Amino acid sequence: MVAALFRHVPIATVRTVRKVACFAAIPLLLVAALQASRPATSPERKLYTELNALRVDPARVYHIRRLVLRRDALRIAFEDGILGLFEPLGGRIFGAVFTGNARVLATPRDPAEKQSIARFLGAPLVDTTVNKAYLRFTDSTGEELEAFLRSSGAKPEENADFLAAWSPVVASLNPIISLRTLRDLESASPLPFFRATLGGSEHGTFEVSVDDRRREQLLLGQVKYREGGRFYDLWAMFPRQEGPAAPAIAAPLRFTLDSTVEDSLALRSRATLSLHLLRDGERILPLTLSRELRVENVADAAGQGLEFFQNEDMSEQEIQRHGDDVFYVVLHEATRAGQDLTLEVNYSGTVITSAGNGVYYTGERGAWFPRPEDSGEFCPFDLSFRWPRKLNLVATGNKTEELEDKDWRTGRWTSDAPTVTAGFNLGNFTRATAEAGSVRIAVNANQQLEEALYGLLRARSTVQGGITPVGWGRTTEAWRGADMAAMDLAAARAVPLRLPASVIVQLAKDISDAMLSLEQWNGPFPFPRIEVSPLPAALGQSWPEMMYLSTLSFLPKETQQRAGVAPRTRFSFSDLMPFHELAHQWWGNLAGAATYRDDWIMEGLANYCALLYLSSRNPSEHTLAQTLQDYRADLLAPLPQGSGIVDDIGPLALGQRLTSSLAPGGYPRLVYPKATWVIHMLRMMLQAPGAPTGPSGKDPDERFRSVLRALLESHRFRALSEADLRREVNRVMTPEMGLEGMRNVDWFFEQWVHSTGIPRYSVDYKTTASPKGLVVEGTLHQAGVPETFLARVPLYASGAGGKRVLLGWVVTNGAETNFRFSSPVKPDHILIDPNQTLLAAVQ
Ligand SMILES: [Zn+2]
């Protein structure tokens, strides 16, 4: 498996949520200390502090019955209990708490969301009783509660126990909501939210919310702990029925990043962001930046300092951004759509660490500079660096200068095209170059292996069995695991393992070869150069004009074998990863993914392209067929505790949500094999049915290539979505792909991308002689999927001497579909899809 990524989706999914509403109260002292860390100077910070300080109003506690709040697909019925309203702020009420009996009902419309809830809760909807509720809102809930109290004639009552019980909980939960509330209070066109943190005996503490600042406004989920990790289990997230999501506040026009890497490896940067404003009336602009980096100041174009909030609230973004952090800048004036805005942000922190033996790990590769939240926009980057002279630094873009000055080097890189991100890497590199047409390829390698990997290899070289590096899709990007305790670091240091230069030269040649091969599928390589550099971690990553490869990818396969690296691990790191990441230059960096729900397209296409290249390089090795078999076995493998098979983790369209407490490494475990299979099935369907040639009589993959090319041409340096892929497939689909007379392939995407399920097939048949020849008739049995599952299953007769003849296709229609074919041979047996055109288990 290749833990390979694009854009700014880090693999560290456990970091999804660090601080989410929970009824376990944070000690008041700690909250007070956090608030005191910054002086309350600006009006916005003063308001923020006031929001944090909001408490239940002792004069507004009521015994209530039958209060019902409805928000889209959400219904909370407060049957009987005590309701306490928050003290008003500026005449408005922003919160309330409840103790008693309440019933929560949430019913998403989308079947995939229902299925997701069912996986977490055992039923396709939330229908449960709770006894505590912490409500926060900027919508009309306050007015609604007051109107209810008036009309029901409820009288306020003294309840010291109620107040005492809620006081610490409110104190600990408020800071999580305050910035979200502040954004609406400071906005001339607020986008309100309603959020309830609920506690009951059935599901523990969970959250339901409707937030018009989210693209998918409705959210149901909870924090869960498992295997030492903290997860945010997103039971469901979907758009509200009425009203589209609001556009982003700003799109980037240009990033200018001026950075120094200190001797201590600390990064100190000044980022100049040119932004184009898309929405009116907002005073608070959310930007993402790694929490490892501390913002020192923010200024506007005139050099005036701006108030900002960093790391005060980590709930909303953690749910959505999977590890990227948000900080908020308070603008002097409200935004006006159509205008441009320039911001300067100074920040510093540690994102580079030493991995030993002169190897460095560059972390936070997608979040080392500030950018507008929710922005997948492409734009130019201008990077400048100053770094210790003893090190080499590589970066995305065209290096226009590099100078030396005593102990320091400086350099500047400008992007050749609008790009979705930018990055850098550094180390003590040796370098080899190659060319592919006019594209220049440079491979930078560490001169030694980092301590951890070398130690791991040494320790395991004497042990039976293969090693499987941990860290794929898990909490760590470094080599880590119980095995490391046994490693012999002293020995590793005494005999440093050097990489032979020939390996680096060969890798450069291989990448050149692969680039020319992939151009046959995807069109010209989108950049004039590619810079390859290592990461001491079990992952690869592809940035525009730059690839990070795991240090294991640089290690000769023979050395890996000697050290006991498992064959599939060797295949993943040495064979697949370099070309998977190379293919991401088209799929991820030329065209990007529009939302988290489209990430699978990039992973599937990048991986499939790599497999096509490997298959063309060594046709006799049948790499594609073998890998598809392995992937099928991976998807059919049982999950622990009898919770189904890997495919049951969830549909591809859930993206990073597949990683949860139920499946800690769920996203990479499912997405690589399944997305690769989905792309393969599309290619197989697009080949002319039953014929080795395409519509023009030459290329069987003419339609498939046409889909790839059209997508890349229509989305040059832009993001694409599943809808775009469907449209291109529909454009070139064969009549046979329109099962049940449909003129589109929606059935295919619904089954394979928005649902789970791998069909199992078996066949009963008999052969009879007729005047016209042999007739094979029988029944194809389909199991493991819903009755409505559609597939076009090819059946072959295997005759005497193993001769294989295509009988025809059976379009499944429920659990049993009858067929009748004439056959030129008397079948010894019938083969179901022997050429692997379908992801299915065949008996
Ligand atoms: Zn990838």
Side-chain angles (χ1 to χ4, degrees):
M1 184 80 51
V2 182
L5 307 163
F6 70 100
R7 223 167 88 187
H8 48 272
V9 185
I11 205 91
T13 40
V14 171
R15 278 185 41 184
T16 299
V17 172
R18 285 204 182 166
K19 195 206 287 175
V20 163
C22 165
F23 278 124
I26 299 166
L28 280 169
L29 213 64
L30 176 61
V31 174
L34 287 172
Q35 287 163 11
S37 65
R38 280 237 182 83
T41 47
S42 69
E44 296 79 20
R45 189 160 290 280
K46 182 167 172 285
L47 183 52
Y48 171 73
T49 308
E50 287 170 354
L51 286 166
N52 280 347
L54 285 176
R55 295 293 181 269
V56 178
D57 188 342
R60 307 192 76 182
V61 176
Y62 305 86
H63 184 194
I64 60 159
R65 305 176 83 118
R66 295 296 304 157
L67 161 65
V68 180
L69 296 179
R70 287 191 184 81
R71 300 286 179 272
D72 199 270
L74 186 66
R75 181 179 186 273
I76 308 177
F78 300 90
E79 303 290 353
D80 189 352
I82 311 294
L83 177 77
L85 302 187
F86 276 26
E87 308 151 340
L89 183 67
R92 282 180 70 187
I93 292 170
F94 296 106
V97 294
F98 173 84
T99 304
N101 294 318
R103 189 164 193 85
V104 180
L105 191 67
T107 48
R109 295 164 291 274
D110 181 56
E113 296 300 330
K114 286 183 184 168
Q115 192 190 6
S116 172
I117 295 179
R119 188 155 162 72
F120 287 104
L121 304 184
L125 76 172
V126 178
D127 182 3
T128 189
T129 302
V130 297
N131 47 44
K132 280 184 181 173
Y134 168 83
L135 309 176
R136 294 302 304 269
F137 38 80
T138 53
D139 66 357
S140 61
T141 304
E143 291 79 17
E144 209 175 316
L145 294 178
E146 288 185 308
F148 170 85
L149 292 169
R150 273 196 306 274
S151 67
S152 68
K155 295 279 177 290
E157 53 190 56
E158 281 185 30
N159 194 329
D161 290 347
F162 179 84
L163 293 171
W166 275 108
S167 180
V169 179
V170 169
S172 74
L173 293 180
N174 276 4
I176 295 167
I177 316 289
S178 293
L179 273 181
R180 175 64 190 85
T181 309
L182 187 67
R183 284 183 69 184
D184 283 350
L185 294 184
E186 294 293 337
S187 174
S189 45
L191 293 165
F193 76 95
F194 169 85
R195 170 174 169 148
T197 305
L198 303 159
S201 56
E202 190 180 10
H203 300 311
T205 301
F206 63 99
E207 176 198 337
V208 297
S209 67
V210 185
D211 188 338
D212 286 345
R213 289 190 186 274
R214 269 199 306 262
R215 196 192 304 254
E216 297 180 313
Q217 298 98 335
L218 278 98
L219 180 150
L220 318 168
Q222 78 181 146
V223 177
K224 275 270 183 178
Y225 294 87
R226 185 168 164 200
E227 293 177 12
R230 189 176 193 184
F231 297 86
Y232 194 91
D233 286 351
L234 261 172
W235 299 345
M237 186 156 77
F238 51 96
R240 63 152 73 237
Q241 197 154 25
E242 287 161 26
I249 298 175
L253 295 172
R254 172 175 284 276
F255 291 94
T256 306
L257 308 172
D258 192 350
S259 304
T260 297
V261 178
E262 310 276 8
D263 261 328
S264 66
L265 299 177
L267 181 77
R268 180 171 294 281
S269 294
R270 183 177 68 234
T272 309
L273 280 63
S274 302
L275 306 172
H276 184 68
L277 299 172
L278 302 171
R279 208 162 74 211
D280 281 330
E282 299 288 359
R283 287 278 320 286
I284 296 183
L285 178 69
L287 301 172
T288 59
L289 181 71
S290 164
R291 76 190 63 192
E292 309 297 334
L293 295 162
R294 191 80 195 161
V295 177
E296 283 149 15
N297 57 64
V298 184
D300 63 12
Q304 273 198 299
L306 298 172
E307 175 68 281
F308 64 93
F309 295 84
Q310 189 187 20
N311 293 357
E312 265 102 346
D313 171 1
M314 291 187 183
S315 58
E316 297 300 320
Q317 75 273 16
E318 280 163 344
I319 292 162
Q320 296 172 66
R321 307 301 300 176
H322 293 272
D324 282 1
D325 298 344
V326 176
F327 80 98
Y328 297 89
V329 175
V330 183
L331 304 174
H332 286 308
E333 290 176 7
T335 57
R336 289 172 64 185
Q339 292 198 338
D340 293 347
L341 172 73
T342 299
L343 293 177
E344 187 180 294
V345 183
N346 286 284
Y347 57 98
S348 62
T350 301
V351 295
I352 305 158
T353 48
S354 170
N357 295 343
V359 178
Y360 297 90
Y361 177 75
T362 303
E364 304 300 317
R365 293 170 301 283
W368 67 280
F369 60 92
R371 64 192 311 162
E373 188 188 33
D374 260 346
S375 154
E377 303 281 334
F378 288 69
C379 77
F381 281 80
D382 188 335
L383 310 180
S384 302
F385 287 96
R386 181 170 180 269
W387 71 96
R389 186 176 171 177
K390 61 186 182 202
L391 298 176
N392 309 105
L393 190 143
V394 295
T396 52
N398 179 25
K399 184 161 77 177
T400 53
E401 63 175 42
E402 181 169 332
L403 302 170
E404 290 182 13
D405 171 26
K406 289 186 181 167
D407 295 337
W408 296 92
R409 288 179 208 258
T410 56
R412 187 173 170 199
W413 287 258
T414 52
S415 50
D416 290 292
T419 56
V420 74
T421 193
F424 68 96
N425 200 2
L426 84 174
N428 294 301
F429 296 144
T430 46
R431 188 173 167 93
T433 58
E435 283 177 2
S438 61
V439 181
R440 282 178 294 119
I441 298 157
V443 175
N444 302 278
N446 291 314
Q447 297 178 19
Q448 299 178 24
L449 291 178
E450 67 269 25
E451 284 180 0
L453 176 57
Y454 185 46
L456 184 65
L457 294 173
R458 275 183 62 89
R460 287 313 222 104
S461 63
T462 56
V463 178
Q464 289 293 315
I467 67 160
T468 304
V470 295
W472 299 327
R474 297 296 301 274
T475 58
T476 174
E477 291 183 320
W479 306 98
R480 199 177 77 171
D483 294 327
M484 302 301 282
M487 76 188 198
D488 183 356
L489 277 183
R493 265 197 295 271
V495 196
L497 200 156
R498 287 184 180 276
L499 283 173
S502 60
V503 172
I504 306 161
V505 173
Q506 188 58 47
L507 185 54
K509 281 185 189 156
D510 288 350
I511 287 171
S512 163
D513 187 42
M515 192 181 286
L516 295 172
S517 174
L518 293 183
E519 285 184 340
Q520 304 299 311
W521 296 98
N522 300 319
F525 189 74
F527 302 104
R529 70 184 60 76
I530 182 94
E531 194 82 41
V532 181
S533 65
L535 271 186
L539 62 80
Q541 206 162 30
S542 203
W543 261 210
E545 311 187 55
M546 188 162 150
M547 286 157 55
Y548 301 93
L549 294 182
S550 168
T551 38
L552 196 52
S553 298
F554 291 82
L555 196 62
K557 271 165 121 179
E558 300 69 37
T559 312
Q560 294 186 35
Q561 193 170 5
R562 224 171 35 242
V565 176
R568 276 197 72 188
T569 305
R570 290 206 300 272
F571 172 74
S572 292
F573 283 86
S574 295
D575 295 322
L576 201 51
M577 182 183 279
F579 313 118
H580 173 111
E581 301 305 342
L582 182 66
H584 269 315
Q585 293 295 311
W586 286 272
W587 301 107
N589 289 309
L590 177 55
T595 76
Y596 74 94
R597 291 181 181 272
D598 309 302
D599 286 346
W600 69 270
I601 301 172
M602 300 299 146
E603 292 310 329
L605 282 167
N607 214 46
Y608 197 70
C609 283
L611 291 169
L612 287 173
Y613 165 65
L614 291 171
S615 297
S616 71
R617 190 173 73 173
N618 296 79
S620 62
E621 289 180 4
H622 307 290
T623 306
L624 177 61
Q626 183 58 50
T627 307
L628 288 169
Q629 271 182 44
D630 290 343
Y631 283 173
R632 170 169 40 211
D634 292 344
L635 291 166
L636 290 166
L639 290 171
Q641 291 137 18
S643 51
I645 58 172
V646 169
D647 184 70
D648 297 328
I649 288 172
L652 282 175
L654 293 190
Q656 295 278 357
R657 287 169 53 188
L658 296 165
T659 290
S660 72
S661 71
L662 294 178
Y667 174 79
R669 206 168 170 197
L670 183 99
V671 165
Y672 295 107
K674 185 98 182 240
T676 304
W677 257 106
V678 167
I679 301 298
H680 176 69
M681 287 191 284
L682 279 173
R683 174 172 166 239
M684 291 296 102
M685 288 196 303
L686 288 167
Q687 288 188 345
T693 56
S696 71
K698 288 195 209 81
D699 174 11
D701 285 313
E702 197 170 304
R703 291 189 191 87
F704 182 64
R705 276 181 225 271
S706 163
V707 168
L708 301 188
R709 298 285 181 96
L711 275 175
L712 291 169
E713 274 161 28
S714 57
H715 293 82
R716 264 186 91 72
F717 304 115
R718 283 176 52 210
L720 64 79
S721 70
E722 187 195 313
D724 299 311
L725 174 59
R726 282 198 203 200
R727 194 164 47 242
E728 289 304 332
V729 174
N730 286 339
R731 180 177 60 82
V732 298
M733 66 184 276
T734 65
E736 292 80 7
M737 290 168 73
L739 297 192
E740 298 200 323
M742 286 181 277
R743 291 191 180 178
N744 58 55
V745 289
D746 288 351
W747 62 271
F748 176 85
F749 284 89
E750 292 307 320
Q751 288 179 180
W752 292 108
V753 178
H754 294 267
S755 311
T756 57
I758 295 175
R760 290 195 304 276
Y761 292 113
S762 60
V763 69
D764 298 324
Y765 73 99
K766 64 179 182 192
T767 310
T768 51
S770 82
K772 288 182 182 172
L774 293 169
V775 170
V776 178
E777 56 188 326
T779 305
L780 180 70
H781 302 272
Q782 178 175 272
V785 286
E787 278 278 304
T788 51
F789 192 91
L790 295 173
R792 191 162 174 270
V793 185
L795 299 185
Y796 288 72
S798 178
K803 192 181 174 206
R804 188 184 285 181
V805 178
L806 175 68
L807 293 171
W809 283 266
V810 180
V811 176
T812 59
N813 176 21
E816 295 187 347
T817 310
N818 296 328
F819 61 84
R820 182 186 160 90
F821 297 115
S822 61
S823 175
V825 299
K826 179 164 173 27
D828 285 343
H829 54 276
I830 285 187
L831 299 168
I832 303 167
D833 190 30
N835 298 328
Q836 293 197 103
T837 65
L838 277 174
L839 173 54
V842 171
Q843 281 146 16

